[in-house]
Amino acid sequence: MADQTLMEKIVSLAKRRGFVFPGSEIYGGLAGTYDYGPMGVLLKENIERLWLAQFRDSRDDMYGVDATILMNPKIWEASGHVAGFSDPLVECEKCKRRFRADHLDDPKTCPECGGKLGEAKQFNMMFKTHAGAAEDESATVYLRPETAGGIFMNYKNVVDSAHPKLPFGIAQIGKAFRNEIAPRDFIFRLRELSQMEVEYFVKPAEWEAAFEMWRSVMHAYADVIGLPKDSVHELEVPDEDRAHYSKRTIDFEFDYPFGRKELWGLAYRTDFDLKAHQTGSGVSLEYLDEETKEKFVPHVIEPSLGVDRTVLAILSSAYREDTLGGETRTYLALAPKIAPVKAMVSPLLKNKPELVAKAREVREALRKVHPAIAWDDNGNIGKRYRRQDEIGTPFCITIDFDTLGEKPELKDTVTLRHRDTGEQERLSVEDVTARLREALG
Ligand code: ATP
């Protein structure tokens, strides 16, 4: 499968099956924006829930916050974003198209029309708007370019309200906005994106141990959501490429259909942010160590994970085409924990009330294991299976006349069909329930 074709197929499946739609589509779209549809929402929620479980809820040293997107603009002055959150922009003198200079093979020639490119200018990527009725500079606010800012704003609140001991961290999931010069590659480079971020506060001497700990948590998470080990790679970011606040960064890269690109980041942000906000606000952000009575500004390790890039990594690694029963089919080999729908229950025929009633009963039993159990009685069974294959449903369960006792030895058994192999087995409802529970771990 040529890579470009694979990407096109993923985009098409995402739309056809309700994962991801272009934003504002009937008005011609808006570059760098995509909406999540019914399946995409479930997939995204699974990604976020598993992240919360791994990064926050299974730990005693983590706290949650949900901060605003609009914040006092002084935050972004202190953090260095007003002065430095920019990418080099070049414009073609002939066709006037704009590009990110550091993404071009030849920084002098327009990749679209061959015209001459002008000098690179720094372009700040923060979206600006105005808070309140005045539209002058005094009312300027920014849409946050990373969720981290809201975490730093609540560091003191969490310390004062929860009294955590170092090391501890704050986790947040939320939207961030970046006015990317060239949004591209579907949901890889967006202007409105979601991030799952942790700021983990440590004593300065303990940063390396914390960095290593989060590094392994990130790999474990990649595993939990079903990303193949051999498609996730670490890149030690060299000094000249690191963000202004970072002393060490590892990019977790993924082999997307369009090449190896950043999926997530892990950064040692030192005490840069808290010190900058302490200076900017005049409020002490020092931590008092109760045992040693020492006062200091903690250092920070930041695992930062983009939700949308995770969705894309999952979709592209799960996409499969094969031949089954002489027919070609497409399916998503999603890990059951990640799959939007866990199982589909189906009566063999929809006009037989006794089959429908039994199938509804089986569906309710399975819903006690997980709520995402679909119902499909449309078209023939083969078509129902194909639809579920395309959204990555691991199991399909069919209720037929044998379930009702036509063959007495098969009474109360159902057909369980496995997505990846198409294999079918005859099992009791209890066994199917147990299988589902086991698959969801
Ligand atoms: P890139 O170098 O690709 O622009 P970045 O290094 O600027 O990314 P970070 O600032 O480290 O990205 O942001 C943390 C995470 O947020 C990234 O690892 C990625 O998952 C996600 N992310 C950043 N920018 C975007 C974007 N424009 N669209 C979608 N996700 C993004």
Side-chain angles (χ1 to χ4, degrees):
M1 217 181 301
D3 284 348
Q4 185 53 38
T5 330
L6 172 60
M7 200 54 206
E8 281 166 10
K9 286 176 175 176
I10 291 167
V11 173
S12 152
L13 182 140
K15 172 133 198 260
R16 183 168 76 247
R17 290 292 171 212
F19 282 92
V20 181
F21 306 125
S24 324
E25 197 181 9
I26 62 170
Y27 282 101
L30 178 68
T33 66
Y34 282 89
D35 295 338
Y36 286 87
M39 290 305 124
V41 164
L42 295 172
L43 175 59
K44 202 165 169 242
E45 283 170 2
N46 291 337
I47 289 170
E48 293 178 356
R49 222 174 274 139
L50 290 168
W51 181 85
L52 286 171
Q54 184 125 17
F55 285 74
R56 191 188 73 186
D57 299 341
S58 62
R59 307 175 57 106
D60 290 331
D61 55 354
M62 291 298 301
Y63 300 82
V65 293
D66 184 7
T68 52
I69 286 165
L70 299 176
M71 291 188 271
N72 191 312
K74 287 182 185 153
I75 294 167
W76 306 114
E77 279 164 30
S79 67
H81 283 81
V82 171
F85 191 63
S86 48
D87 278 336
L89 168 78
V90 280
E91 191 176 287
C92 173
E93 292 176 359
K94 199 165 144 205
C95 72
K96 305 290 172 206
R97 283 202 182 87
R98 294 172 151 203
F99 306 94
R100 234 179 101 167
D102 56 337
H103 283 174
L104 296 174
D105 293 332
D106 173 2
K108 299 229 176 315
T109 313
C110 174
E112 294 290 336
C113 76
K116 188 169 171 292
L117 294 174
E119 282 301 302
K121 287 187 285 223
Q122 285 302 317
F123 171 76
N124 193 296
M125 290 197 288
M126 283 198 294
F127 278 99
K128 260 187 196 179
T129 186
H130 298 95
E135 292 215 349
D136 57 20
E137 276 305 301
S138 70
T140 295
V141 289
Y142 302 96
L143 303 188
R144 66 183 180 199
E146 53 177 26
T147 59
I151 297 183
F152 291 121
M153 281 312 101
N154 286 288
Y155 157 80
K156 187 171 159 34
N157 290 330
V158 171
V159 170
D160 292 346
S161 60
H163 309 289
K165 282 210 163 56
L166 282 185
F168 76 92
I170 304 178
Q172 176 173 234
I173 299 179
K175 291 272 188 169
F177 300 82
R178 297 181 177 191
N179 198 1
E180 296 279 358
I181 294 167
R184 63 170 70 178
D185 296 322
F186 192 34
I187 51 173
F188 177 81
R189 190 167 298 286
L190 295 169
R191 289 189 171 139
E192 176 172 341
L193 54 131
S194 294
Q195 292 180 316
M196 309 182 281
E197 292 197 304
V198 164
E199 305 302 324
Y200 194 71
F201 303 96
V202 298
K203 290 181 181 167
E206 289 167 7
W207 79 266
E208 268 169 315
F211 193 93
E212 290 309 320
M213 182 268 290
W214 285 110
R215 188 178 184 176
S216 58
V217 172
M218 289 168 79
H219 281 293
Y221 176 68
D223 219 31
V224 166
I225 60 175
L227 296 182
K229 274 199 174 45
D230 59 1
S231 45
V232 179
H233 312 271
E234 289 190 1
L235 173 79
E236 187 77 46
V237 180
D239 289 1
E240 63 276 16
D241 293 343
R242 277 199 304 266
H244 57 279
Y245 49 72
S246 172
K247 267 221 176 127
R248 183 175 180 200
T249 297
I250 290 179
D251 280 352
F252 283 62
E253 296 191 314
F254 184 80
D255 293 321
Y256 289 101
F258 44 84
R260 187 173 291 182
K261 293 273 165 61
E262 177 173 338
L263 169 65
W264 307 325
L266 173 64
Y268 169 39
R269 292 178 78 129
T270 69
D271 56 1
F272 174 85
D273 301 270
L274 288 183
K275 276 231 171 102
H277 293 308
Q278 179 167 272
T279 310
S281 66
V283 173
S284 169
L285 297 177
E286 283 181 327
Y287 178 87
L288 170 67
D289 187 325
E290 294 289 353
E291 277 155 32
T292 61
K293 300 293 171 213
E294 214 190 329
K295 263 186 157 182
F296 58 93
V297 174
H299 282 222
V300 171
I301 305 295
E302 178 195 69
S304 176
L305 291 78
V307 177
D308 315 275
R309 287 188 189 182
T310 308
V311 170
L312 183 54
I314 287 174
L315 290 179
S316 40
S317 58
Y319 188 92
R320 305 272 191 288
E321 286 174 3
D322 69 359
T323 312
L324 196 65
E327 259 184 68
T328 54
R329 64 153 185 170
T330 302
Y331 70 101
L332 294 180
L334 296 174
K337 279 187 181 162
I338 275 295
V341 174
K342 309 303 178 191
M344 182 273 277
V345 177
S346 191
L348 183 65
L349 301 170
K350 70 170 168 188
N351 53 2
K352 295 283 175 206
E354 50 299 17
L355 284 180
V356 171
K358 183 68 187 172
R360 293 225 174 266
E361 197 188 296
V362 171
R363 185 187 187 210
E364 285 320 304
L366 292 176
R367 276 189 145 170
K368 295 204 173 82
V369 180
H370 197 286
I373 310 294
W375 174 266
D376 193 351
D377 56 12
N378 256 319
N380 67 40
I381 287 285
K383 284 215 176 94
R384 297 179 204 170
Y385 289 162
R386 297 292 173 278
R387 278 196 289 270
Q388 296 301 321
D389 285 346
E390 287 208 337
I391 60 169
T393 306
F395 304 112
C396 287
I397 293 122
T398 305
I399 282 70
D400 58 18
F401 291 106
D402 289 337
T403 316
L404 303 178
E406 201 166 275
K407 284 199 196 106
E409 70 278 16
L410 294 181
K411 188 166 168 26
D412 285 328
T413 64
V414 298
T415 303
L416 176 69
R417 184 236 187 213
H418 296 266
R419 176 196 62 204
D420 296 358
T421 57
E423 271 166 15
Q424 305 191 6
E425 29 177 359
R426 195 86 204 178
L427 291 173
S428 70
V429 177
E430 291 71 43
D431 285 347
V432 170
T433 311
R435 286 281 184 89
L436 183 65
R437 192 171 284 122
E438 191 191 336
L440 297 177

